[in-house]
Amino acid sequence: MTTTQLKHYLQFTDLTADEYAYLFARTALIKQKFKAYEKHHPLVDRTLAMIFEKASTRTRVSFEAGMYQLGGSVVHLTTGDSQLGRAEPIEDSARVISRMVDLVMIRTFGQDKIERFAEYSRVPVINGLTNEYHPCQILADIFTYIEHRGSITGKVVAWVGDGNNMANTWLQAAELLGFTVHVSTPSGYEIDPAVAGVKRGSYQVFKDPMQACAGADLVTTDVWTSMGFEAENEARKKAFADWCVDADMMRAAKADALFMHCLPAHRGEEVEAEVIDGPQSVVWDEAENRLHVQKALMEYLLLGIQK
Ligand code: CP
Ligand code: NVA
C-alpha cells in the first residue's frame, strides 16, 4: 500500500504552489522519457481503480495508458456494470475498493460524492471531473501554457462561456499561482465564487466576451452544456449564441495569445473551426499533456517527491 502520507487530489487547491512547481518539472521529465521510449516504472505492482459515472475519452485513455506506462495496472468501473449503480452506499464502496487497490480516480456528479468517497478511502483519490471542478484538466492546461510560453504567473486568461467546472478550477488556479482570469458568461450562467472558494482579485467579470479577451495571453472556452445538464441544452443554445470564440475575439487578445479547449469541442457553437483548427490553438498538445501531468500526479501521490 502507500508509503507516504495519504493525500487526495479532489480540487486544485489540494496542492500548494511549491507542489505544482515540482509537478510541472517532473511532468517535463516524464514526458521526455516517454518520447524517448525510455522505461519509467515507479508504480510496478500498484493498481489504479477508475470509476466513471459520466462518459469520457481523454480521462479514460490518459489514466489507463499512464498507469500502464508507469508499470502498474488498472481496473475500470462504471455505474452500469458495478454495484455503484445499484445504490450501494458510497462509503461502503470506498472502504471495499480502497482495500484492493493503491489509488482511485473518480468521475462523477456532485463534489460531495467524491469527498465522501475520499473520507472513507485508505488510498489517494483523484478527481477526474465533477460538476464543480476538473483539476486534472487545468493541471494539463497550465503545463501546456508553460511549455509554449513560460511561466503563467502575472498572465491573463480569458474564460468565454459557461461558469462551469472548468471555470471554477481556472479561478482556483489563478489565486494559487498568481495570474488573472477575465470571465465572460451569459447572464444566468455566471460563476459562483463560493464554489470556487476564491476572493475577488484573481478574476474580473465582463459582460462582453470581446472585452474579456482584450489583451489576454490565453483564450479558453468549453461546451455550452456540460455532462449532467443535457435537459438545458435548447435554452443554453439560445443563451450562449454570442459566446462563441471567433477570429475577432482572438484578434482582441495579444498577438501571441494561445487558444485552449479541454475537448470535446463543438465547432460552430462555443468555438469557430478557424480558431480551434487555427495557428494559435494548442488543443492537441493540451489533450496529450493530460497523460504526462497525470503520470507525475499519480507518482507524487503514491511515492512523494522523487529526486
Ligand atoms: N477533457 C476531458 O476530460 O475529456 P473527456 O471527457 O474525454 O475525458
Ligand atoms: N465542462 C465539461 C467538460 C468535459 C470534459 C463537462 O463537465 O461536461
Side-chain angles (χ1 to χ4, degrees):
M1 284 292 151
T2 56
T3 50
T4 54
Q5 205 194 341
L6 185 57
K7 204 184 246 306
H8 301 297
Y9 192 56
L10 306 183
Q11 48 182 302
F12 202 84
T13 49
D14 283 344
L15 298 178
T16 64
D18 284 347
E19 288 176 304
Y20 281 112
Y22 167 76
L23 279 181
F24 293 137
R26 189 71 183 165
T27 298
L29 184 79
I30 286 173
K31 181 170 180 176
Q32 198 188 328
K33 285 185 168 195
F34 173 81
K35 296 286 176 189
Y37 294 95
E38 204 181 305
K39 270 199 183 68
H40 181 61
H41 284 173
L43 300 186
V44 170
D45 293 337
R46 306 291 180 115
T47 307
L48 165 73
M50 304 188 297
I51 302 173
F52 284 97
E53 298 204 297
K54 290 176 177 171
S56 168
T57 296
R58 281 143 287 271
T59 303
R60 165 92 193 259
V61 176
S62 55
F63 270 105
E64 187 159 343
M67 193 59 181
Y68 285 126
Q69 289 163 18
L70 293 172
S73 54
V74 299
V75 176
H76 176 246
L77 292 162
T78 67
T79 315
D81 65 14
S82 69
Q83 301 290 5
L84 290 162
R86 298 183 64 252
E88 180 167 10
I90 194 111
E91 296 79 1
D92 294 359
S93 302
R95 287 181 177 109
V96 171
I97 294 168
S98 72
R99 280 180 180 233
M100 299 181 187
V101 302
D102 303 274
L103 189 59
V104 178
M105 187 288 305
I106 307 181
R107 167 168 286 195
T108 188
F109 293 87
Q111 182 72 10
D112 59 307
K113 253 181 139 175
I114 197 171
E115 278 169 8
R116 267 160 63 213
F117 192 104
E119 197 183 331
Y120 289 87
S121 173
R122 287 184 166 189
V123 301
V125 178
I126 298 173
N127 183 344
L129 181 145
T130 56
N131 290 349
E132 289 84 354
Y133 309 114
H134 197 2
C136 292
Q137 183 67 54
I138 301 302
L139 190 59
D141 293 7
I142 295 174
F143 179 76
T144 307
Y145 187 86
I146 295 168
E147 267 192 321
H148 283 268
R149 296 284 184 265
S151 172
I152 197 163
T153 302
K155 298 289 173 22
V156 172
V157 175
W159 176 264
V160 176
D162 194 14
N164 64 8
N165 43 11
M166 284 290 295
N168 290 332
T169 313
W170 269 115
L171 295 188
Q172 292 191 326
E175 194 166 87
L176 199 61
L177 301 180
F179 59 92
T180 305
V181 185
H182 285 183
V183 182
S184 180
T185 68
S187 71
Y189 301 93
E190 291 89 354
I191 49 150
D192 179 352
V195 175
V198 295
K199 294 184 273 314
R200 201 64 177 252
S202 51
Y203 73 96
Q204 286 174 46
V205 175
F206 296 83
K207 270 207 170 73
D208 180 354
M210 280 292 279
Q211 279 177 12
C213 293
D217 298 279
L218 165 64
V219 177
T220 185
T221 186
D222 189 8
V223 289
W224 289 344
T225 305
S226 285
M227 291 179 279
F229 298 84
E230 290 80 4
E232 300 173 12
N233 203 21
E234 287 313 308
R236 284 172 173 265
K237 274 190 173 165
K238 289 192 189 98
F240 281 79
D242 293 335
W243 277 261
C244 173
V245 178
D246 58 15
D248 286 342
M249 288 189 201
M250 292 307 296
R251 266 191 292 274
K254 284 204 179 128
D256 69 345
L258 299 175
F259 172 77
M260 288 190 197
H261 189 311
C262 64
L263 307 177
H266 299 83
R267 288 168 177 77
E269 291 191 6
E270 74 274 9
V271 59
E272 292 296 2
E274 64 178 326
V275 172
I276 194 168
D277 299 320
Q280 286 166 282
S281 172
V282 290
V283 296
W284 313 122
D285 290 342
E286 184 187 358
E288 178 190 325
N289 283 334
R290 289 289 301 277
L291 173 73
H292 309 301
V293 295
Q294 289 162 195
K295 284 166 76 177
L297 176 68
M298 291 193 283
E299 183 192 66
Y300 179 63
L301 294 178
L302 288 177
L303 304 178
I305 289 180
Q306 304 298 290
K307 303 271 183 239

